[in-house]
Structures are given as structure tokens and as C-alpha cells.
């Protein structure tokens, strides 16, 4: 049973525009959420995270929004750049610390120059 | 080292063969995770070590899968009598004392296993 879902397998965006990647989860015990970026033949690299006590976290061009009541989070990238083209994974865990992560299936973002 | 390293990067095995996959975590990281990523899927948890102790192996899909970390640093994931459904990328991640680090696991590049 997939506890973290990314329903859009792919997304194409023009350079300079906003990219919005979505993620839904089912487990109400999840308390900490992360976005990872993955290039081919590399491992996932951490991008940004958010705790359930917040509804927004911003880091440069990247902002993550959390709607706990809807069990939904989204990653906004603005402005999008060609180097942002990668697969983005949403992940969740019951708490911070050394806990295993539950991943979505990923969204492949293509930023068109 | 600077990051998590894994070897081999690619492994082709014949069905029934045993394989061993190695992970070198970031120096000083006490926590180590193994994940399995099937084609088109996200990584799925296999097992977790804190130092040399295997605290959670609930994600191992069968008793053909075995992991160890005898000295609390390097870890090996062993798969016995490989089957075609074992074909996947096996990712290792480490997590350590985080006074200045972000709350995240650091992933290696993975070992891509193909069982023929």
C-alpha cells in the first residue's frame, strides 16, 4: 500500500516559469516531509524539508507547502532552470531523526530552455 | 570520505547466484539504511543499522536477503540465490550526528543489480 503518492509521473515547464510538484500521503503519523532530487546514475540528494508544525518552508528558489488537513504537500520552484531537470521524490517519516523514509514514485521534471 | 560510496556500481548475476553489495557511509555516521528501488518506483526501505546493531529489518523481502555491519562502519547487503525480481537499484544512506547538518539521510549512488 503506497503511503506517499506522486500522481504526476512527469512535468514539463518553460525556463523561467514556476514548477509545481505535488505529493499526497495517507498516514496521519507522518510528521516530517522531504523532497529529494535525483539525476540519472546518482543517488537522491536532499533538496528541502518541512516539519508538520509549519505550513511553509523556503530555501532560495525552492518552497515547500504543507496542508496537513488535506495530507498534501507541494514543491514550488521559481524560476525554473534547465539544471532543475531531474526526478523529484517526495518522502515522509513519522519524526525527525534516524527513521526510515517512505517515498513516492517520483515526478520527472523537464525544464525547457 | 566526502560522501556515501557503494560498490560495485553495476552487477549482473545469473539466477541462483549469490551477490554481495557494499556500502561505505560518511565517516562518523552512526545510522545506516538500505533501500531497494525497482524500475519506475521510489526507494523502499529494507533495513536499518545503528552502529553495528541491526535495529530494523522489517523491509527485507525474504530470508534470502541478509545485511551486516560488523564494525559499525562499512555495511554489506547479501542476496542469496538471486531471482529475477531482485533486479533493482540498491541504495545505501547514512545519517549522523547532526549539530550542523540538515535533518536528512545522505544517499550513495546505488548498485544496479540485474539478475538474468
Amino acid at each position: 500500500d503506497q503511503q506517499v503518492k506522486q500522481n504526476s509521473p512527469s512535468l514539463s515547464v518553460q525556463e523561467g516559469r514556476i514548477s509545481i510538484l505535488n505529493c499526497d500521503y495517507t498516514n496521519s503519523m507522518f510528521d516530517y516531509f522531504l523532497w529529494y532530487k535525483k539525476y540519472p546514475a546518482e543517488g537522491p540528494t536532499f533538496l528541502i524539508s518541512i516539519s508538520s508544525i509549519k505550513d511553509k518552508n523556503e530555501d532560495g528558489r525552492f518552497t515547500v507547502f504543507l496542508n496537513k488537513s488535506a495530507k498534501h504537500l507541494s514543491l514550488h520552484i521559481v524560476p525554473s532552470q534547465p539544471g532543475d531537470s531531474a526526478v523529484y521524490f517526495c518522502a515522509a517519516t513519522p519524526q525527525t531523526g534516524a527513521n526510515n523514509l517512505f517515498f513516492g514514485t517520483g515526478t520527472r521534471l523537464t525544464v525547457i530552455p | 570520505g566526502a560522501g556515501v560510496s557503494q560498490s560495485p556500481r553495476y552487477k549482473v548475476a545469473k539466477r541462483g547466484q549469490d551477490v554481495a553489495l557494499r556500502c561505505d557511509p560518511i565517516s562518523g555516521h552512526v545510522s545506516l539504511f538500505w533501500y531497494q528501488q525497482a524500475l519506475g518506483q521510489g526507494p523502499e526501505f529494507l533495513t536499518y543499522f545503528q552502529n553495528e546493531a541491526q535495529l530494523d529489518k522489517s523491509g527485507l523481502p525474504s530470508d534470502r536477503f541478509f545485511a551486516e555491519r560488523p564494525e559499525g562502519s562499512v555495511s554489506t547487503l547479501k542476496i542469496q540465490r538471486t531471482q529475477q525480481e531482485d533486479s533493482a537499484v540498491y541504495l545505501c544512506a547514512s545519517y549522523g550526528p547532526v549539530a550542523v547538518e540538515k535533518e536528512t539521510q545522505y544517499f550513495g549512488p546505488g548498485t544496479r543489480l540485474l539478475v538474468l
Side-chain angles (χ1 to χ4, degrees), chain A residues 68-89:
Chain A
K68 284 180 292 184
S69 61
K71 293 190 176 68
H72 177 83
L73 63 156
S74 61
L75 174 68
H76 292 209
I77 306 172
V78 56
S80 301
Q81 299 174 354
D84 296 331
S85 297
V87 177
Y88 289 78
F89 288 98

Side-chain angles (χ1 to χ4, degrees), chain B residues 66-116:
Chain B
F66 172 77
E68 60 182 5
R69 194 185 185 198
E71 297 178 356
S73 56
V74 171
S75 177
T76 303
L77 177 66
K78 298 179 179 178
I79 309 173
Q80 298 176 322
R81 305 181 304 281
T82 52
Q83 303 294 313
Q84 287 183 324
E85 62 262 28
D86 300 335
S87 296
V89 175
Y90 290 86
L91 294 163
C92 175
S94 72
Y95 176 98
V98 290
V100 295
E101 294 177 28
K102 297 181 190 240
E103 290 276 354
T104 182
Q105 298 176 20
Y106 292 87
F107 283 82
T111 294
R112 183 176 296 276
L113 173 65
L114 176 62
V115 181
L116 301 176

Side-chain angles (χ1 to χ4, degrees), chain A residues 3 6 12 19 31-32 50 54 57 59 62 67 69-70 73 87 89 93 95 98 102 110 113:
Chain A
Q3 299 187 57
Q6 294 176 258
S12 290
S19 296
D31 203 44
Y32 188 64
I50 188 167
K54 296 184 176 181
N57 188 27
D59 184 359
F62 303 92
N67 182 333
S69 61
L73 63 156
V87 177
F89 288 98
T93 186
Q95 60 188 42
F102 295 81
T110 302

Side-chain angles (χ1 to χ4, degrees), chain A residues 2 32 34 36 38 41-47 49 59 89 93 96-106, chain B residues 9-10 31 33 35 37 40-45 48 50 56 91 95 102-110 112:
Chain A
Q2 195 77 21
Y32 188 64
L34 309 93
Y36 281 83
K38 187 180 183 304
E42 295 183 12
T45 56
F46 171 76
L47 193 57
S49 63
D59 184 359
F89 288 98
T93 186
T96 58
N99 293 281
N100 57 294
L101 299 172
F102 295 81
F103 284 87
T105 52
Chain B
R9 292 294 311 275
Y10 303 92
S31 299
F33 299 81
Y35 293 84
Q37 185 179 10
Q41 301 297 312
E44 291 193 1
F45 170 76
Y48 160 59
Q50 186 173 81
D56 187 348
L91 294 163
Y95 176 98
K102 297 181 190 240
E103 290 276 354
T104 182
Q105 298 176 20
Y106 292 87
F107 283 82
R112 183 176 296 276

Side-chain angles (χ1 to χ4, degrees), chain A residues 9-79:
Chain A
S10 63
L11 174 68
S12 290
V13 171
Q14 205 71 30
E15 181 179 3
R17 306 294 291 268
I18 186 171
S19 296
I20 300 176
L21 295 89
N22 293 302
C23 177
D24 297 289
Y25 61 96
T26 58
N27 191 337
S28 57
M29 297 299 291
F30 288 148
D31 203 44
Y32 188 64
F33 305 88
L34 309 93
W35 284 93
Y36 281 83
K37 177 179 178 178
K38 187 180 183 304
Y39 292 116
E42 295 183 12
T45 56
F46 171 76
L47 193 57
I48 193 169
S49 63
I50 188 167
S51 165
S52 64
I53 62 173
K54 296 184 176 181
D55 55 18
K56 176 183 174 181
N57 188 27
E58 194 171 349
D59 184 359
R61 297 186 297 114
F62 303 92
T63 303
V64 56
F65 295 92
L66 175 62
N67 182 333
K68 284 180 292 184
S69 61
K71 293 190 176 68
H72 177 83
L73 63 156
S74 61
L75 174 68
H76 292 209
I77 306 172
V78 56

